[in-house]
Amino acid sequence: MAPLLPSTSLFYLYVVSAFIISAAVFFFFERRESEHRPDEIEKGLFGYVFDRKVWFHPSSKQDYYFFVVNTFIYSGIIAHFMISGHIVFNAFGNVFDSVLGPRQEALFTLSVFTSLAYTLVAVLAIDFAIFLTHYVQHKFAPLWHFHSVHHSAEVLNIVTVYRQHPVDLFITGTFMVVLTEVAFAFYAYLTMSEPAQLTIGGLNVVLFGFYLLGYNLRHSHIWLSYPRWLSYIFISPAQHQTHHSIDEKHFDKNFGFIFAIWDWLFGTLYVPKGYEKLEFGISRAEPNPFGSVVELYLKPFQLAWKEITGSKLFSRFAMGFGVAAVLCVVFSVAF
Ligand SMILES: [Zn+2]
Ligand SMILES: [Zn+2]
């Protein structure tokens, strides 16, 4: 049950804290002049936080259906195909042993300090893996069609984060497991032991804090931005909302999950100067390609296939394959 699991964003404490922070955001904006705040502040506290235009928008209804169906698809199918973290960890442990040579003694011994360091290393590894996957999902056209399911949401709500095509989920999960387990295996190689992370309810303590401090607001209409300097270190909910914006100046910006440093390094960081009125979706020029939940599942395959077969690389590959097939037939007939 998601509301009882600290590892999911729907854990009740994260949901409650998101509503408390939403109320704080309302009181913050209420005192500001109307041109520097969302128009919806006029609706009052409940009208703003529980805005019917968001919660009952057709896009939100699509999210709710999609969430239910996807939960079954993920636990029934995708989870069985995910690569096991232990396999990657052990495989790379052997690689480090054979390439770098087995260690005679640990580089440093484990203590509370190293547990803290490992907890942070784990978060950095997970965070970089998510950033890199997200970057590739935007830059590599066939993968973009699967990721565009997430971006097709026209309003953002608490379950929009689960609006992810199973292929998108599989790719993110696989990248994450491989990249993080490589980092863990290297850490274990250096310390000659398997260190434990500091956890709350089984979840890395940094991740727990991250979820508790308004994670759910990044998929919402509540504008929570950080001071400018902090937005260079952490991705604020407002920064993720700009990632969903259909304004061209926001395209391919803010791929980060927790830390903004990766976007900063890759030149994809966007830091808002103040409140920005945003429209969400894929494009303003073209209609949303996903009119129904069925289309959310099937259309990305069709679009990705078109993309692949329409590429020059594919036509060259197909031509090469054709020539090779003809040569095989000619040779087999001749000899
Ligand atoms: Zn994205
Ligand atoms: Zn998102």
Side-chain angles (χ1 to χ4, degrees), residues 134 147 150-151 156 160-161 218-219 240 243-244:
H134 198 179
H147 184 60
H150 181 61
H151 281 270
L156 304 179
T160 308
V161 67
R218 45 184 57 203
H219 294 103
H240 189 72
H243 177 72
H244 278 268

